[in-house]
Coordinates of all heavy atoms in Angstrom, one line a residue:
S1 N 12.2 12.3 -36.6 CA 13.2 11.3 -36.2 C 14.3 11.9 -35.4 O 14.4 13.2 -35.4 CB 13.8 10.7 -37.5 OG 14.6 11.6 -38.1
H2 N 15.0 11.1 -34.7 CA 16.1 11.6 -33.8 C 17.3 12.1 -34.6 O 17.7 11.4 -35.5 CB 16.4 10.5 -32.8 CG 17.5 10.9 -31.8 ND1 17.2 11.8 -30.8 CD2 18.8 10.6 -31.7 CE1 18.3 12.0 -30.1 NE2 19.3 11.3 -30.6
E3 N 17.9 13.2 -34.1 CA 19.1 13.7 -34.8 C 20.2 12.8 -34.4 O 20.5 12.5 -33.2 CB 19.4 15.1 -34.3 CG 18.7 16.2 -35.0 CD 19.2 17.6 -34.5 OE1 20.4 17.8 -34.4 OE2 18.4 18.4 -34.2
R4 N 21.0 12.3 -35.4 CA 22.1 11.5 -35.1 C 23.4 12.3 -35.0 O 23.6 13.3 -35.6 CB 22.3 10.5 -36.3 CG 21.1 9.5 -36.4 CD 21.3 8.5 -37.4 NE 22.6 7.8 -37.2 CZ 23.0 6.8 -38.0 NH1 22.4 6.5 -39.1 NH2 24.1 6.2 -37.7
G5 N 24.2 11.9 -34.0 CA 25.5 12.6 -33.8 C 25.4 13.9 -33.1 O 26.3 14.7 -33.2
S6 N 24.2 14.2 -32.5 CA 24.1 15.6 -31.9 C 24.8 15.6 -30.6 O 25.0 16.7 -30.0 CB 22.6 15.9 -31.8 OG 22.0 15.1 -30.9
G7 N 25.0 14.5 -30.0 CA 25.7 14.5 -28.7 C 24.7 14.8 -27.6 O 25.1 15.2 -26.5
G8 N 23.4 14.7 -27.8 CA 22.5 14.9 -26.7 C 21.6 16.1 -26.9 O 20.5 16.1 -27.4
K9 N 22.2 17.3 -26.6 CA 21.4 18.5 -26.6 C 21.1 19.1 -28.0 O 20.3 19.9 -28.1 CB 22.1 19.6 -25.7 CG 21.8 19.3 -24.3 CD 21.9 20.7 -23.6 CE 21.5 20.5 -22.1 NZ 21.2 21.7 -21.5
G10 N 21.9 18.7 -29.0 CA 21.7 19.4 -30.3 C 22.4 20.7 -30.3 O 23.2 21.0 -29.4
G11 N 22.1 21.5 -31.3 CA 22.8 22.8 -31.4 C 21.9 24.0 -31.1 O 22.2 25.1 -31.7
V12 N 20.9 23.8 -30.4 CA 19.9 24.9 -30.2 C 20.2 25.7 -28.9 O 20.5 25.1 -27.9 CB 18.5 24.3 -30.1 CG1 17.5 25.4 -30.0 CG2 18.2 23.5 -31.3
G13 N 20.2 27.0 -29.0 CA 20.3 27.8 -27.8 C 21.7 27.7 -27.1 O 22.7 27.6 -27.8
N14 N 21.7 27.6 -25.8 CA 22.9 27.6 -25.0 C 23.3 26.1 -24.8 O 23.3 25.6 -23.7 CB 22.6 28.3 -23.7 CG 23.9 28.5 -22.9 OD1 25.0 28.4 -23.5 ND2 23.8 28.8 -21.7
S15 N 23.7 25.4 -25.8 CA 24.0 24.0 -25.7 C 25.5 23.8 -25.5 O 26.0 22.6 -25.5 CB 23.5 23.2 -26.9 OG 24.2 23.6 -28.0
G16 N 26.3 24.8 -25.4 CA 27.8 24.6 -25.3 C 28.2 24.2 -23.9 O 27.3 23.8 -23.1
A17 N 29.4 24.4 -23.5 CA 29.9 24.1 -22.2 C 29.2 25.0 -21.2 O 29.0 26.2 -21.3 CB 31.4 24.3 -22.1
A18 N 28.7 24.3 -20.1 CA 28.0 25.0 -19.1 C 28.9 25.9 -18.3 O 29.9 25.5 -17.8 CB 27.2 24.0 -18.2
K19 N 28.5 27.2 -18.1 CA 29.2 28.1 -17.2 C 28.3 28.4 -16.1 O 27.2 29.0 -16.3 CB 29.6 29.3 -18.0 CG 30.6 29.1 -19.0 CD 31.0 30.4 -19.7 CE 32.0 30.1 -20.8 NZ 32.3 31.3 -21.6
K20 N 28.7 28.2 -14.8 CA 27.9 28.4 -13.7 C 27.8 29.9 -13.4 O 26.8 30.5 -13.2 CB 28.4 27.7 -12.4 CG 28.2 26.2 -12.5 CD 28.6 25.6 -11.2 CE 28.2 24.1 -11.3 NZ 28.6 23.4 -10.0
N21 N 29.0 30.6 -13.4 CA 29.0 32.0 -13.1 C 30.0 32.7 -14.0 O 31.2 32.4 -13.9 CB 29.3 32.2 -11.6 CG 29.2 33.6 -11.1 OD1 29.1 34.5 -12.0 ND2 29.3 33.8 -9.8
A22 N 29.6 33.6 -14.8 CA 30.4 34.2 -15.8 C 31.5 35.0 -15.1 O 32.7 35.1 -15.5 CB 29.6 35.1 -16.8
M23 N 31.2 35.7 -14.0 CA 32.1 36.5 -13.3 C 33.2 35.7 -12.7 O 34.4 36.0 -12.7 CB 31.4 37.3 -12.2 CG 30.5 38.5 -12.7 SD 31.5 39.7 -13.6 CE 32.3 40.5 -12.2
A24 N 32.8 34.5 -12.1 CA 33.8 33.7 -11.4 C 34.8 33.1 -12.4 O 36.0 33.0 -12.1 CB 33.1 32.6 -10.7
S25 N 34.3 32.7 -13.6 CA 35.2 32.1 -14.6 C 36.1 33.1 -15.1 O 37.3 32.8 -15.4 CB 34.4 31.4 -15.7 OG 33.6 32.4 -16.4
A26 N 35.7 34.4 -15.3 CA 36.5 35.4 -15.8 C 37.6 35.7 -14.8 O 38.8 35.9 -15.1 CB 35.7 36.7 -16.1
A27 N 37.3 35.7 -13.5 CA 38.2 36.0 -12.4 C 39.3 34.9 -12.3 O 40.5 35.2 -12.2 CB 37.5 36.2 -11.1
S28 N 38.9 33.7 -12.4 CA 39.8 32.6 -12.3 C 40.7 32.5 -13.5 O 41.9 32.1 -13.4 CB 39.1 31.3 -12.1 OG 38.4 30.9 -13.2
A29 N 40.2 33.0 -14.7 CA 41.1 33.0 -15.9 C 42.2 34.0 -15.8 O 43.3 33.8 -16.2 CB 40.2 33.2 -17.1
R30 N 41.9 35.1 -15.1 CA 42.9 36.2 -14.9 C 44.0 35.8 -13.9 O 45.1 36.0 -14.1 CB 42.2 37.4 -14.4 CG 41.7 38.4 -15.5 CD 41.5 39.7 -15.0 NE 40.6 39.7 -13.8 CZ 39.3 39.8 -13.8 NH1 38.7 39.9 -14.9 NH2 38.6 39.7 -12.6
R31 N 43.5 35.1 -12.8 CA 44.4 34.8 -11.7 C 45.5 33.8 -12.0 O 46.6 33.9 -11.6 CB 43.6 34.4 -10.5 CG 43.6 35.4 -9.4 CD 42.9 34.8 -8.2 NE 41.7 34.1 -8.6 CZ 40.6 34.1 -8.0 NH1 40.5 34.8 -6.9 NH2 39.5 33.5 -8.4
G32 N 45.1 32.8 -12.7 CA 46.1 31.7 -13.0 C 46.1 30.6 -11.9 O 45.2 30.7 -11.1
P33 N 47.1 29.8 -11.9 CA 47.1 28.7 -10.9 C 47.4 29.2 -9.5 O 48.1 30.2 -9.4 CB 48.2 27.8 -11.4 CG 49.0 28.6 -12.3 CD 48.1 29.6 -12.9
T34 N 46.9 28.5 -8.5 CA 47.1 28.9 -7.2 C 48.5 28.5 -6.7 O 49.2 27.7 -7.4 CB 46.1 28.3 -6.2 OG1 46.3 26.8 -6.3 CG2 44.7 28.6 -6.6
A35 N 48.9 29.0 -5.6 CA 50.3 28.7 -5.1 C 50.4 27.2 -4.8 O 51.4 26.6 -5.1 CB 50.5 29.4 -3.8
G36 N 49.4 26.6 -4.3 CA 49.4 25.1 -4.0 C 49.5 24.3 -5.3 O 50.3 23.3 -5.4
Q37 N 48.8 24.8 -6.3 CA 48.9 24.1 -7.6 C 50.3 24.2 -8.2 O 50.8 23.2 -8.8 CB 47.9 24.6 -8.6 CG 46.4 24.3 -8.3 CD 45.4 25.1 -9.1 OE1 45.7 26.2 -9.5 NE2 44.3 24.5 -9.3
L38 N 50.9 25.3 -8.1 CA 52.3 25.5 -8.6 C 53.2 24.6 -7.8 O 54.2 24.0 -8.4 CB 52.7 26.9 -8.5 CG 52.0 27.9 -9.5 CD1 52.4 29.3 -9.2 CD2 52.4 27.5 -10.9
L39 N 53.1 24.5 -6.5 CA 53.9 23.7 -5.7 C 53.8 22.2 -6.0 O 54.8 21.5 -6.1 CB 53.6 23.8 -4.2 CG 54.2 25.0 -3.5 CD1 53.7 25.1 -2.0 CD2 55.7 24.9 -3.5
I40 N 52.6 21.8 -6.3 CA 52.4 20.4 -6.7 C 53.1 20.0 -8.0 O 53.6 18.9 -8.1 CB 50.8 20.1 -6.7 CG1 50.3 20.1 -5.3 CG2 50.5 18.8 -7.5 CD1 48.7 20.1 -5.3
L41 N 53.1 21.0 -8.9 CA 53.7 20.7 -10.2 C 55.3 20.7 -10.1 O 55.9 20.1 -11.0 CB 53.3 21.8 -11.2 CG 51.9 21.8 -11.6 CD1 51.5 23.0 -12.4 CD2 51.5 20.5 -12.4
K42 N 55.9 21.2 -9.1 CA 57.3 21.2 -8.9 C 57.9 19.8 -8.6 O 57.2 19.1 -7.8 CB 57.8 22.2 -7.9 CG 57.4 23.6 -8.1 CD 58.2 24.3 -9.2 CE 57.8 25.7 -9.5 NZ 58.0 26.1 -10.8
T43 N 59.0 19.5 -9.1 CA 59.7 18.2 -8.8 C 60.4 18.4 -7.4 O 60.6 19.5 -7.0 CB 60.7 17.8 -9.8 OG1 61.7 18.8 -9.9 CG2 60.0 17.6 -11.2
S44 N 60.8 17.3 -6.8 CA 61.5 17.4 -5.5 C 62.8 18.1 -5.8 O 63.3 18.8 -4.9 CB 61.7 16.0 -4.9 OG 62.5 15.2 -5.8
K45 N 63.4 17.9 -6.9 CA 64.7 18.5 -7.2 C 64.6 20.0 -7.3 O 65.4 20.8 -6.8 CB 65.3 17.9 -8.5 CG 66.7 18.4 -8.8 CD 67.2 17.7 -10.1 CE 68.6 18.1 -10.4 NZ 69.2 17.5 -11.6
K46 N 63.5 20.5 -8.0 CA 63.3 21.9 -8.1 C 63.0 22.5 -6.8 O 63.4 23.6 -6.5 CB 62.1 22.2 -9.1 CG 62.6 22.2 -10.5 CD 61.6 22.9 -11.4 CE 62.1 22.9 -12.8 NZ 61.0 23.0 -13.8
L47 N 62.2 21.8 -5.9 CA 61.9 22.4 -4.6 C 63.2 22.5 -3.8 O 63.4 23.4 -3.1 CB 60.9 21.5 -3.9 CG 59.4 21.5 -4.4 CD1 58.6 20.4 -3.8 CD2 58.8 22.9 -4.1
G48 N 64.0 21.4 -3.9 CA 65.3 21.5 -3.2 C 66.2 22.6 -3.6 O 66.8 23.3 -2.8
T49 N 66.2 22.9 -4.9 CA 67.0 24.0 -5.4 C 66.4 25.3 -4.9 O 67.2 26.2 -4.5 CB 67.0 24.0 -7.0 OG1 67.4 22.7 -7.4 CG2 67.9 25.0 -7.5
M50 N 65.1 25.5 -4.9 CA 64.5 26.7 -4.5 C 64.8 27.0 -3.0 O 65.0 28.1 -2.6 CB 63.0 26.7 -4.7 CG 62.6 26.9 -6.2 SD 60.9 26.6 -6.7 CE 60.0 26.7 -5.2
L51 N 64.7 25.9 -2.2 CA 65.0 26.0 -0.8 C 66.4 26.0 -0.4 O 66.8 26.2 0.8 CB 64.2 24.9 0.0 CG 62.7 24.9 -0.2 CD1 62.1 23.6 0.4 CD2 62.1 26.1 0.6
K52 N 67.3 25.7 -1.4 CA 68.7 25.5 -1.1 C 68.9 24.3 -0.1 O 69.9 24.4 0.7 CB 69.4 26.8 -0.7 CG 69.3 27.8 -1.7 CD 70.1 29.1 -1.3 CE 70.0 30.2 -2.3 NZ 68.8 30.8 -2.5
D53 N 68.0 23.4 -0.1 CA 68.1 22.2 0.8 C 67.4 21.0 0.2 O 66.2 20.9 0.2 CB 67.5 22.6 2.2 CG 67.6 21.5 3.2 OD1 68.2 20.4 2.9 OD2 67.2 21.7 4.3
P54 N 68.2 20.1 -0.4 CA 67.6 19.0 -1.2 C 66.7 18.1 -0.3 O 65.7 17.5 -0.7 CB 68.7 18.3 -1.8 CG 70.0 18.8 -1.2 CD 69.6 20.1 -0.6
V55 N 67.1 17.9 1.0 CA 66.4 17.0 1.9 C 65.0 17.6 2.2 O 64.0 16.9 2.1 CB 67.2 16.8 3.2 CG1 66.4 15.9 4.1 CG2 68.5 16.1 2.9
A56 N 65.0 18.9 2.4 CA 63.7 19.6 2.7 C 62.8 19.6 1.5 O 61.6 19.3 1.6 CB 64.0 21.0 3.2
G57 N 63.4 19.8 0.3 CA 62.7 19.7 -0.9 C 62.0 18.4 -1.2 O 60.9 18.3 -1.6
D58 N 62.8 17.3 -0.9 CA 62.3 16.0 -1.1 C 61.2 15.7 -0.1 O 60.2 15.1 -0.4 CB 63.5 15.0 -0.8 CG 63.1 13.6 -1.4 OD1 62.5 13.5 -2.4 OD2 63.6 12.6 -0.7
A59 N 61.3 16.1 1.2 CA 60.3 15.9 2.2 C 59.0 16.6 1.8 O 57.9 16.1 2.0 CB 60.8 16.4 3.6
I60 N 59.1 17.9 1.4 CA 57.9 18.7 1.0 C 57.2 18.0 -0.1 O 56.0 17.9 -0.2 CB 58.3 20.1 0.8 CG1 58.7 20.8 2.1 CG2 57.2 20.9 0.1 CD1 59.2 22.2 1.9
H61 N 58.0 17.6 -1.1 CA 57.5 17.0 -2.3 C 56.7 15.7 -1.9 O 55.6 15.4 -2.4 CB 58.6 16.7 -3.3 CG 58.1 16.1 -4.6 ND1 58.1 14.7 -4.9 CD2 57.5 16.7 -5.7 CE1 57.5 14.5 -6.1 NE2 57.2 15.7 -6.6
K62 N 57.3 14.9 -1.0 CA 56.7 13.7 -0.6 C 55.4 13.9 0.1 O 54.3 13.3 -0.1 CB 57.6 12.9 0.3 CG 57.2 11.5 0.7 CD 58.2 10.8 1.6 CE 57.8 9.4 1.9 NZ 58.7 8.8 2.8
E63 N 55.3 14.9 1.0 CA 54.1 15.3 1.7 C 53.0 15.8 0.7 O 51.9 15.4 0.8 CB 54.4 16.4 2.7 CG 55.1 16.0 3.9 CD 54.2 15.0 4.8 OE1 53.0 15.2 4.9 OE2 54.8 14.0 5.2
L64 N 53.4 16.6 -0.3 CA 52.5 17.1 -1.3 C 51.9 15.9 -2.1 O 50.7 15.9 -2.3 CB 53.1 18.1 -2.2 CG 53.4 19.5 -1.7 CD1 54.2 20.3 -2.6 CD2 52.0 20.2 -1.4
R65 N 52.7 15.0 -2.5 CA 52.2 13.8 -3.2 C 51.3 13.0 -2.4 O 50.3 12.5 -2.9 CB 53.4 12.9 -3.7 CG 54.4 13.5 -4.6 CD 54.0 14.0 -6.0 NE 52.7 13.6 -6.5 CZ 52.0 14.4 -7.3 NH1 52.3 15.6 -7.5 NH2 50.8 14.0 -7.8
T66 N 51.6 12.8 -1.1 CA 50.7 12.1 -0.2 C 49.3 12.8 -0.1 O 48.3 12.1 -0.2 CB 51.3 11.9 1.2 OG1 52.6 12.1 1.2 CG2 51.0 10.6 1.8
L67 N 49.4 14.1 0.0 CA 48.2 14.9 0.2 C 47.3 14.8 -1.1 O 46.1 14.5 -1.0 CB 48.5 16.3 0.4 CG 47.3 17.3 0.6 CD1 46.6 17.0 1.8 CD2 47.8 18.7 0.5
V68 N 48.0 14.9 -2.3 CA 47.2 14.8 -3.5 C 46.6 13.4 -3.7 O 45.5 13.2 -4.1 CB 48.2 15.1 -4.7 CG1 47.5 14.7 -6.0 CG2 48.6 16.5 -4.7
G69 N 47.4 12.3 -3.3 CA 46.9 11.0 -3.3 C 45.7 10.8 -2.4 O 44.7 10.2 -2.8
R70 N 45.7 11.4 -1.2 CA 44.6 11.3 -0.3 C 43.4 12.0 -0.9 O 42.2 11.5 -0.8 CB 45.0 11.9 1.0 CG 44.3 11.3 2.2 CD 44.8 11.8 3.6 NE 46.2 11.8 3.7 CZ 47.0 12.8 4.1 NH1 46.4 14.0 4.5 NH2 48.3 12.7 4.3
Q71 N 43.6 13.2 -1.5 CA 42.5 13.9 -2.0 C 41.8 13.1 -3.2 O 40.6 13.1 -3.3 CB 42.9 15.3 -2.5 CG 43.2 16.3 -1.4 CD 43.8 17.6 -1.9 OE1 44.4 17.6 -3.0 NE2 43.7 18.6 -1.1
D72 N 42.7 12.5 -4.0 CA 42.2 11.7 -5.1 C 41.3 10.5 -4.6 O 40.3 10.2 -5.2 CB 43.3 11.2 -6.0 CG 43.9 12.3 -6.9 OD1 43.2 13.4 -7.0 OD2 45.0 12.2 -7.4
A73 N 41.8 9.9 -3.6 CA 41.1 8.8 -3.0 C 39.7 9.2 -2.5 O 38.7 8.5 -2.7 CB 41.9 8.1 -1.9
I74 N 39.7 10.3 -1.8 CA 38.4 10.9 -1.3 C 37.5 11.2 -2.5 O 36.3 10.8 -2.4 CB 38.7 12.1 -0.4 CG1 39.3 11.8 0.9 CG2 37.4 12.9 -0.2 CD1 39.9 13.0 1.7
K75 N 38.0 11.8 -3.5 CA 37.2 12.1 -4.7 C 36.6 10.8 -5.3 O 35.4 10.8 -5.7 CB 38.1 12.9 -5.7 CG 37.3 13.6 -6.8 CD 38.2 14.4 -7.6 CE 37.5 15.3 -8.6 NZ 38.4 16.1 -9.4
R76 N 37.5 9.8 -5.5 CA 37.0 8.5 -6.1 C 35.9 7.9 -5.2 O 34.9 7.4 -5.7 CB 38.2 7.6 -6.2 CG 39.1 7.8 -7.4 CD 40.0 6.7 -7.7 NE 40.8 6.2 -6.6 CZ 42.0 6.7 -6.3 NH1 42.5 7.7 -7.1 NH2 42.7 6.3 -5.3
Q77 N 36.1 7.9 -3.9 CA 35.1 7.4 -3.0 C 33.8 8.1 -3.1 O 32.7 7.5 -3.1 CB 35.6 7.4 -1.5 CG 34.7 6.8 -0.5 CD 34.5 5.3 -0.8 OE1 35.5 4.6 -1.0 NE2 33.3 4.8 -0.7
Q78 N 33.9 9.4 -3.2 CA 32.6 10.2 -3.3 C 31.9 9.9 -4.6 O 30.7 9.8 -4.6 CB 33.0 11.7 -3.3 CG 33.3 12.2 -1.9 CD 33.8 13.7 -1.9 OE1 34.2 14.2 -2.9 NE2 33.7 14.3 -0.7
M79 N 32.7 9.7 -5.7 CA 32.1 9.3 -7.0 C 31.4 8.0 -6.9 O 30.3 7.8 -7.4 CB 33.1 9.4 -8.1 CG 33.5 10.8 -8.5 SD 34.9 10.8 -9.6 CE 34.2 10.1 -11.1
R80 N 32.1 7.0 -6.2 CA 31.5 5.7 -6.0 C 30.2 5.7 -5.2 O 29.2 5.1 -5.5 CB 32.5 4.8 -5.3 CG 33.4 4.0 -6.3 CD 34.0 2.8 -5.6 NE 34.8 3.2 -4.4 CZ 36.1 3.5 -4.4 NH1 36.8 3.4 -5.6 NH2 36.8 3.9 -3.4
D81 N 30.3 6.5 -4.1 CA 29.1 6.7 -3.3 C 27.9 7.3 -4.0 O 26.8 6.8 -3.9 CB 29.4 7.5 -2.0 CG 30.3 6.9 -1.1 OD1 30.6 5.6 -1.2 OD2 30.9 7.6 -0.2
E82 N 28.2 8.3 -4.9 CA 27.1 8.9 -5.7 C 26.6 7.9 -6.7 O 25.3 7.9 -6.9 CB 27.7 10.1 -6.4 CG 26.7 10.8 -7.3 CD 25.5 11.4 -6.6 OE1 25.6 11.6 -5.3 OE2 24.5 11.7 -7.2
A83 N 27.4 7.1 -7.3 CA 27.0 6.1 -8.3 C 26.1 5.1 -7.6 O 25.0 4.7 -8.1 CB 28.1 5.5 -9.0
T84 N 26.5 4.7 -6.4 CA 25.7 3.7 -5.6 C 24.3 4.3 -5.3 O 23.3 3.6 -5.4 CB 26.5 3.3 -4.4 OG1 27.7 2.8 -4.7 CG2 25.7 2.3 -3.6
R85 N 24.3 5.5 -4.8 CA 23.1 6.2 -4.5 C 22.1 6.3 -5.7 O 21.0 6.0 -5.5 CB 23.4 7.6 -3.9 CG 22.2 8.3 -3.3 CD 22.5 9.7 -2.9 NE 22.8 10.6 -4.1 CZ 21.8 11.1 -4.9 NH1 20.6 10.8 -4.6 NH2 22.1 11.8 -5.9
Q86 N 22.7 6.6 -6.8 CA 21.9 6.7 -8.0 C 21.3 5.4 -8.4 O 20.2 5.3 -8.9 CB 22.6 7.4 -9.2 CG 22.8 8.9 -8.9 CD 23.5 9.5 -10.1 OE1 24.0 8.9 -11.0 NE2 23.7 10.8 -10.0
R87 N 22.2 4.3 -8.3 CA 21.7 3.0 -8.6 C 20.5 2.6 -7.7 O 19.5 2.0 -8.2 CB 22.8 2.0 -8.5 CG 23.6 1.8 -9.8 CD 24.5 0.5 -9.7 NE 25.3 0.4 -8.6 CZ 26.5 1.0 -8.4 NH1 27.0 1.7 -9.4 NH2 27.2 0.8 -7.3
L88 N 20.7 2.9 -6.4 CA 19.6 2.5 -5.5 C 18.3 3.3 -5.8 O 17.2 2.7 -5.7 CB 20.1 2.8 -4.0 CG 21.1 1.8 -3.5 CD1 21.6 2.3 -2.2 CD2 20.5 0.4 -3.4
L89 N 18.5 4.6 -6.1 CA 17.3 5.3 -6.5 C 16.6 4.8 -7.7 O 15.4 4.7 -7.8 CB 17.7 6.8 -6.7 CG 18.0 7.6 -5.5 CD1 18.5 9.0 -5.9 CD2 16.7 7.8 -4.6
Q90 N 17.4 4.3 -8.7 CA 16.8 3.7 -9.9 C 16.1 2.4 -9.6 O 15.1 2.1 -10.1 CB 17.9 3.5 -10.9 CG 17.4 3.1 -12.3 CD 18.5 3.1 -13.3 OE1 19.7 3.0 -13.0 NE2 18.2 3.2 -14.6
M91 N 16.7 1.6 -8.7 CA 16.1 0.4 -8.3 C 14.8 0.6 -7.6 O 13.8 -0.2 -7.8 CB 17.0 -0.4 -7.4 CG 18.0 -1.2 -8.1 SD 19.2 -2.2 -7.2 CE 18.5 -2.4 -5.6
K92 N 14.7 1.7 -6.8 CA 13.4 2.0 -6.1 C 12.3 2.3 -7.1 O 11.1 2.0 -6.8 CB 13.6 3.2 -5.2 CG 14.3 2.8 -3.9 CD 14.5 3.9 -3.0 CE 15.3 3.6 -1.8 NZ 15.6 4.7 -0.9
R93 N 12.7 2.8 -8.3 CA 11.7 3.1 -9.3 C 11.2 1.8 -10.0 O 10.1 1.8 -10.5 CB 12.2 4.0 -10.4 CG 12.4 5.5 -9.9 CD 12.6 6.4 -11.0 NE 13.7 6.1 -11.8 CZ 14.9 6.7 -11.6 NH1 15.1 7.5 -10.6 NH2 16.0 6.4 -12.4
K94 N 12.0 0.8 -9.9 CA 11.7 -0.5 -10.5 C 11.4 -1.5 -9.4 O 12.3 -2.2 -8.9 CB 12.8 -1.0 -11.4 CG 13.1 0.0 -12.6 CD 14.3 -0.5 -13.4 CE 14.6 0.5 -14.5 NZ 15.8 0.1 -15.2
S95 N 10.2 -1.6 -9.0 CA 9.8 -2.5 -7.9 C 10.2 -3.9 -8.1 O 10.6 -4.6 -7.2 CB 8.3 -2.3 -7.5 OG 7.6 -2.6 -8.7
W96 N 10.1 -4.4 -9.3 CA 10.4 -5.8 -9.6 C 11.9 -6.1 -9.4 O 12.3 -7.2 -8.9 CB 10.0 -6.2 -11.0 CG 10.6 -5.4 -12.1 CD1 10.1 -4.2 -12.6 CD2 11.8 -5.6 -12.7 NE1 10.9 -3.7 -13.5 CE2 12.0 -4.5 -13.6 CE3 12.8 -6.5 -12.6 CZ2 13.1 -4.4 -14.5 CZ3 14.0 -6.4 -13.5 CH2 14.1 -5.4 -14.3
L97 N 12.7 -5.1 -9.6 CA 14.2 -5.2 -9.5 C 14.5 -5.3 -8.0 O 15.3 -6.1 -7.5 CB 14.9 -4.1 -10.2 CG 16.4 -4.2 -10.3 CD1 16.7 -5.5 -11.1 CD2 16.9 -3.0 -11.1
Q98 N 13.8 -4.4 -7.2 CA 14.0 -4.4 -5.8 C 13.6 -5.7 -5.2 O 14.3 -6.3 -4.3 CB 13.2 -3.3 -5.2 CG 13.4 -3.1 -3.7 CD 14.7 -2.6 -3.3 OE1 15.3 -1.7 -3.9 NE2 15.3 -3.3 -2.3
A99 N 12.5 -6.3 -5.7 CA 12.1 -7.6 -5.2 C 13.1 -8.7 -5.4 O 13.3 -9.6 -4.6 CB 10.7 -8.0 -5.8
R100 N 13.7 -8.6 -6.6 CA 14.8 -9.6 -6.9 C 16.0 -9.5 -6.0 O 16.5 -10.5 -5.5 CB 15.3 -9.4 -8.4 CG 14.7 -10.4 -9.4 CD 15.2 -10.2 -10.7 NE 16.6 -10.5 -10.8 CZ 17.3 -10.3 -11.9 NH1 16.8 -9.7 -13.0 NH2 18.6 -10.6 -12.0
V101 N 16.4 -8.3 -5.6 CA 17.5 -8.1 -4.7 C 17.1 -8.6 -3.4 O 17.9 -9.3 -2.7 CB 17.8 -6.6 -4.7 CG1 18.8 -6.3 -3.5 CG2 18.4 -6.1 -6.0
D102 N 15.9 -8.4 -2.9 CA 15.5 -8.9 -1.6 C 15.5 -10.4 -1.5 O 15.8 -11.0 -0.5 CB 14.1 -8.4 -1.3 CG 14.1 -6.9 -1.0 OD1 15.2 -6.3 -0.7 OD2 13.0 -6.2 -1.1
V103 N 15.1 -11.1 -2.7 CA 15.1 -12.5 -2.7 C 16.5 -13.1 -2.7 O 16.8 -14.1 -2.0 CB 14.3 -13.0 -4.0 CG1 14.5 -14.5 -4.2 CG2 12.9 -12.7 -3.9
Q104 N 17.4 -12.4 -3.3 CA 18.8 -12.9 -3.4 C 19.5 -12.8 -2.1 O 20.4 -13.6 -1.8 CB 19.6 -12.2 -4.5 CG 19.2 -12.6 -5.9 CD 19.9 -11.8 -6.9 OE1 20.6 -10.8 -6.6 NE2 19.7 -12.1 -8.2
T105 N 19.2 -11.8 -1.3 CA 19.9 -11.5 0.0 C 19.3 -12.2 1.1 O 18.4 -13.0 1.1 CB 20.0 -10.0 0.3 OG1 18.7 -9.5 0.3 CG2 20.9 -9.4 -0.7

């Protein structure tokens, strides 16, 4: 019978969190956040204080927020495209479903 509550893989072997490259993960753990990540986390007020120019701090913060928003939008679009591609591949495996789509359009 099927194991209940195993979450899929069960507890056998290397079923924990997947690590692509042990060396890369160790290196990134040592380095910490990048300069860009630190800048994104700063508020416009803090940036203004650091630059001793509140207008410049506000402008930089606004640009960073726009950039992050654009990156998020691209990421969401890529995820949508991938989901659509997978749905189409699944439909191709089910010929009767593909026939239904052709009839409807």
Side-chain angles (χ1 to χ4, degrees):
S1 73
H2 181 70
E3 274 186 48
R4 295 181 59 180
S6 66
K9 281 208 170 193
V12 182
N14 188 16
S15 63
K19 290 183 183 175
K20 288 187 178 181
N21 188 348
M23 290 295 288
S25 62
S28 66
R30 270 196 311 270
R31 248 186 316 222
T34 63
Q37 289 169 333
L38 288 173
L39 277 175
I40 287 168
L41 291 172
K42 300 286 181 208
T43 62
S44 62
K45 187 174 180 181
K46 274 195 179 157
L47 286 170
T49 307
M50 285 169 22
L51 297 169
K52 297 182 178 75
D53 184 357
V55 177
D58 196 36
I60 290 173
H61 184 262
K62 188 176 179 183
E63 285 296 320
L64 283 170
R65 296 297 348 142
T66 339
L67 179 69
V68 169
R70 209 176 308 132
Q71 287 175 338
D72 286 345
I74 290 169
K75 195 173 186 179
R76 281 194 306 272
Q77 184 62 45
Q78 286 173 340
M79 287 172 66
R80 268 198 303 270
D81 292 346
E82 177 62 19
T84 303
R85 190 185 68 77
Q86 287 183 357
R87 272 197 307 278
L88 287 172
L89 285 174
Q90 190 173 19
M91 276 179 19
K92 283 181 184 173
R93 288 196 299 268
K94 299 176 181 174
S95 55
W96 56 271
L97 193 57
Q98 183 66 45
R100 259 182 66 185
V101 170
D102 290 340
V103 169
Q104 288 175 353
T105 54

